[in-house]
Amino acid sequence: MTRIFDPKDRVIGLSGSALDVVMPMHLWFGPGGQIIRVGPTLAKIAGDQDLRGRDLFDVIHLRRPRAGKTLAQILSLQGARLSLTITGCENAQFRGVVVAMPAGAGGLINLSLGVSFAKTVEERGLTLKDFSPCDQTVDLLYLREANLAITRESRNLTERLQAAKLSAEKQAQTDVLTGLQNRRAMDEALKTMVDQPNPRFGLMHLDLDFFKEVNDTFGHAAGDHVLAHVADILRAEVRKTDIVARVGGDEFVLLFRDCDDPDLLDTIANRLIARLEVPTQFDGKACQISASAGSVLSSKYDNPTPDKLLNDADVALYTSKNRGRAQHTLFHDELMLPVPAAR
Amino acid sequence: MHGLVNRALQGFLVDTYGSDLWRDVVADANLPAEGFESMMHYDDALTDATITVAVTALKKDRQTFLEDLGTYLLAHKNQEGLRRLMRFGGETFFEFLISLDDLSGRAQLAVPDLDMPALEIRQKGLSRFEIRVKWSIKGAGFVFLGALRAMADDYGTLAIFDVEAGDDGSDLVVIELLDTAFAEGKSFSLGAQPI
């Protein structure tokens, strides 16, 4: 901060119009605090009111520092950063600095637009001419516009990517973990198969036994390893044209084309269960599971629907579970009879 | 080349010649099927291929094509945002020309990785300006020719423009100001809501 009465300081004379050029937002006040001169941009911001002749404290309201209620106090703030508002444009924050005039002749406040600059420029219709070439407010306005445009472009891109991701997920047919088909793919394949004349295929619902124990004992990584291993076995045991889908955490649906042989389904199921029961190693630990299965043959139905087939396979699967797991049941109507009451 | 530049080129082709032509350009220049993305970077060769393919399809010469591109960038309603940003350069066309010194710096304040042409502005006498333009797009001087014409029009200034191809692959745009208050320019309000 410069001390103004330093004898080495030479007083300079500056015409009012020169002052307007250098500081278009200045406010010059006399020894009694009455306003003598107002820079042209500040006058434009103040609008219709003529600030000249009015008392300084009627016109400016110091927000920070608070201690600036009297002329002496304001002058003592020389060089400090002032934050203030002006009568008539209370929602605009100004930044300012004050210096005292020589020999107690009042003072000079220079102002600039604070962070609400964009709003003030818009409301008061300011133009490039209203700013000193040294004032970077115009650059800030430029940056603000450019940034808004760039942000909009970025947001557009993000929205497009998000939409594309959702649509890709919706259309996905593959289960990421096992590489098997997913529920959606199975539903579509099943619908196509029942829609054919005289459909002849087998549907098997297979549910892992003791999988939860592997997960709980050895952790999710072990569980994921087991699921991948199960997928390998299921893929290996079916024909290429058959469908193997993972439809839940440890639930699978297999669709066997051109199949109306109950013994064949039973053989396949038992072979699958036997292979699945061979423990697989993960991190040096043996993970042992088994599986229960239930099947239906479409040829047994006059009018097979996906819901009916899936439902009956489910009934058969739960019969396998109730009979002690690790086995296969082919659906037949007696399974639907009420369970006899326990004696 | 920055996606913003490619996107502007795409905007010019779609807005001026329609989406059928754009589809042909996408196919012939092997562009991404969904067009350019503003916020990505592309190989310069892709930008050049776009221009070359479009020039052939439209049976135009490259210089006229680039000049039309420049005019579009600052005169088309879909590029009003860009025109506004350019008007921040000065209150008059004269000030605007001087401000071109800051063009790259300003643009890169907003988009640090934007590829901007190297500009060298020289004032020769009271009313003559020479701007040397060097860019990865060959013939960029003609883009500036179209763009500066559009800006002179925007400011209501009458001026004569010319381009001379330089020895080092750069172009020299020559501007002779005739009447700076030739016509009323288009309005520009500093604090208007950004486009």
Side-chain angles (χ1 to χ4, degrees):
Chain A
M1 212 190 298
T2 324
R3 285 172 49 219
I4 199 153
F5 294 123
D6 188 324
K8 278 175 287 187
D9 253 3
R10 291 178 61 185
V11 173
I12 56 162
L14 209 56
S15 72
S17 56
L19 204 57
D20 289 349
V21 170
V22 179
M23 304 180 197
M25 290 177 64
H26 73 267
L27 197 67
W28 171 17
F29 55 93
Q34 78 284 7
I35 290 169
I36 298 169
R37 191 179 174 91
V38 178
T41 303
L42 189 58
K44 192 166 172 181
I45 292 170
D48 297 335
Q49 43 175 351
D50 189 353
L51 303 179
R52 285 171 303 172
R54 288 174 65 179
D55 187 80
L56 180 66
F57 293 99
D58 283 348
V59 172
I60 69 161
H61 311 283
L62 207 57
R63 304 258 163 160
R64 259 193 339 263
R66 290 275 173 194
K69 301 276 184 264
T70 66
L71 217 49
Q73 279 174 344
I74 274 261
L75 289 171
S76 75
L77 291 172
Q78 173 161 300
R81 175 189 176 124
L82 311 179
S83 176
L84 51 93
T85 58
I86 288 180
T87 299
C89 24
E90 275 75 9
N91 55 6
Q93 291 277 336
F94 293 86
R95 192 177 291 169
V97 64
V98 62
V99 288
M101 301 295 249
L108 185 76
I109 298 179
N110 191 28
L111 296 175
S112 74
L113 299 178
V115 286
S116 55
F117 63 94
K119 201 161 175 253
T120 311
V121 169
E122 183 192 348
E123 282 177 0
R124 306 292 160 171
L126 301 184
T127 71
L128 290 168
K129 261 190 242 160
D130 292 320
F131 294 95
S132 152
C134 299
D135 189 339
Q136 290 197 311
T137 304
V138 174
D139 296 297
L140 284 176
L141 281 167
Y142 171 93
L143 255 189
R144 177 175 164 271
E145 271 200 46
N147 271 335
L148 284 171
I150 298 299
T151 308
R152 190 175 48 220
E153 290 292 342
S154 293
R155 198 173 43 235
N156 285 347
L157 176 59
T158 310
E159 280 170 4
R160 277 199 302 279
L161 290 179
Q162 184 69 19
K165 179 170 170 274
L166 284 177
S167 134
E169 278 173 3
K170 219 172 146 192
Q171 285 164 20
Q173 305 258 339
T174 309
D175 170 54
V176 179
L177 177 63
T178 60
L180 297 174
Q181 312 244 47
N182 61 16
R183 165 124 231 160
R184 181 188 146 86
M186 188 278 292
D187 282 341
E188 280 179 18
L190 178 56
K191 186 165 186 318
T192 314
M193 284 160 92
V194 296
D195 282 349
Q196 267 155 21
N198 304 316
R200 226 167 48 89
F201 64 90
L203 183 157
M204 185 182 294
H205 191 179
L206 184 137
D207 187 278
L208 301 185
D209 296 323
F210 316 115
F211 176 72
K212 190 176 178 300
E213 284 77 353
V214 170
N215 244 342
D216 291 350
T217 315
F218 301 129
H220 285 291
D224 288 353
H225 167 78
V226 168
L227 288 171
H229 176 68
V230 168
D232 288 341
I233 293 175
L234 297 183
R235 258 193 298 261
E237 290 292 333
V238 304
R239 294 164 300 177
K240 271 215 164 79
T241 51
D242 296 334
I243 305 265
V244 184
R246 180 175 173 221
V247 298
D250 59 350
E251 282 180 63
F252 302 83
V253 168
L254 295 86
L255 300 175
F256 301 93
R257 293 184 201 274
D258 301 319
C259 170
D260 58 359
D261 179 355
D263 294 338
L264 178 66
L265 269 189
D266 203 45
T267 310
I268 294 174
N270 289 329
R271 198 165 62 224
L272 280 174
I273 293 167
R275 279 195 67 179
L276 292 173
E277 284 178 347
V278 178
T280 168
Q281 296 291 317
F282 179 79
D283 248 3
K285 293 166 195 112
C287 306
Q288 165 99 56
I289 56 157
S290 183
S292 301
S295 302
V296 291
L297 286 169
S298 64
S299 53
K300 305 276 186 218
Y301 296 81
D302 291 335
N303 183 24
T305 64
D307 281 351
K308 176 75 179 149
L309 296 179
L310 285 169
N311 196 48
D312 287 355
D314 220 35
V315 171
L317 167 65
Y318 280 92
T319 306
S320 297
K321 292 258 180 199
N322 289 335
R323 286 175 179 167
R325 302 184 181 184
Q327 54 190 283
H328 172 243
T329 308
L330 187 70
F331 179 79
H332 50 96
D333 289 340
E334 286 79 55
L335 295 181
M336 299 297 275
L337 295 176
V339 180
R343 270 178 284 178
Chain B
M1 184 64 68
H2 199 283
L4 280 169
V5 176
N6 290 307
R7 186 86 183 173
L9 182 57
Q10 177 178 340
F12 168 58
L13 289 170
V14 172
D15 291 342
T16 314
Y17 303 107
S19 29
D20 286 350
L21 174 96
W22 173 246
R23 270 193 292 276
D24 293 347
V25 172
V26 167
D28 293 350
N30 280 323
L31 304 183
E34 63 285 1
F36 290 112
E37 282 293 351
S38 313
M39 291 293 115
M40 287 172 68
H41 281 266
Y42 297 89
D43 197 323
D44 282 359
L46 221 49
T47 310
D48 212 54
T50 308
I51 296 172
T52 307
V53 166
V55 163
T56 312
L58 293 166
K59 301 187 178 65
K60 285 198 165 224
D61 67 283
R62 187 183 165 97
Q63 296 182 347
T64 313
F65 176 85
L66 292 175
E67 190 185 333
D68 290 350
L69 168 63
T71 308
Y72 163 85
L73 289 176
L74 293 175
H76 195 277
K77 61 175 170 34
N78 291 359
Q79 300 291 345
E80 170 71 6
L82 194 56
R83 177 190 88 91
R84 277 190 57 79
L85 289 179
M86 296 300 273
R87 282 293 291 253
F88 277 96
E91 191 72 22
T92 64
F93 187 60
F94 183 88
E95 283 177 18
F96 165 77
L97 287 175
I98 306 272
S99 82
L100 288 177
D101 261 337
D102 295 335
L103 181 69
S104 291
R106 275 199 162 169
Q108 282 166 355
L109 265 183
V111 189
D113 55 351
L114 188 60
D115 324 68
M116 287 297 285
L119 297 182
E120 211 180 290
I121 294 107
R122 288 219 178 115
Q123 190 180 354
K124 300 270 173 112
L126 275 180
S127 60
R128 185 181 162 93
F129 282 85
E130 292 182 0
I131 304 177
R132 187 160 289 287
V133 183
K134 194 164 186 183
W135 206 13
S136 45
I137 295 176
K138 204 168 142 276
F142 290 89
V143 180
F144 272 80
L145 176 66
L148 292 172
R149 266 209 183 112
M151 282 314 282
D153 194 43
D154 213 278
Y155 279 105
T157 299
L158 188 64
I160 295 175
F161 299 84
D162 197 16
V163 183
E164 299 162 12
D167 317 326
D168 54 350
S170 65
D171 302 316
L172 190 71
V173 183
V174 181
I175 302 135
E176 191 82 47
L177 298 181
L178 297 181
D179 185 353
T180 52
F182 169 68
E184 185 139 345
K186 283 195 217 163
S187 76
F188 170 67
S189 150
L190 194 58
Q193 280 306 306
I195 305 300

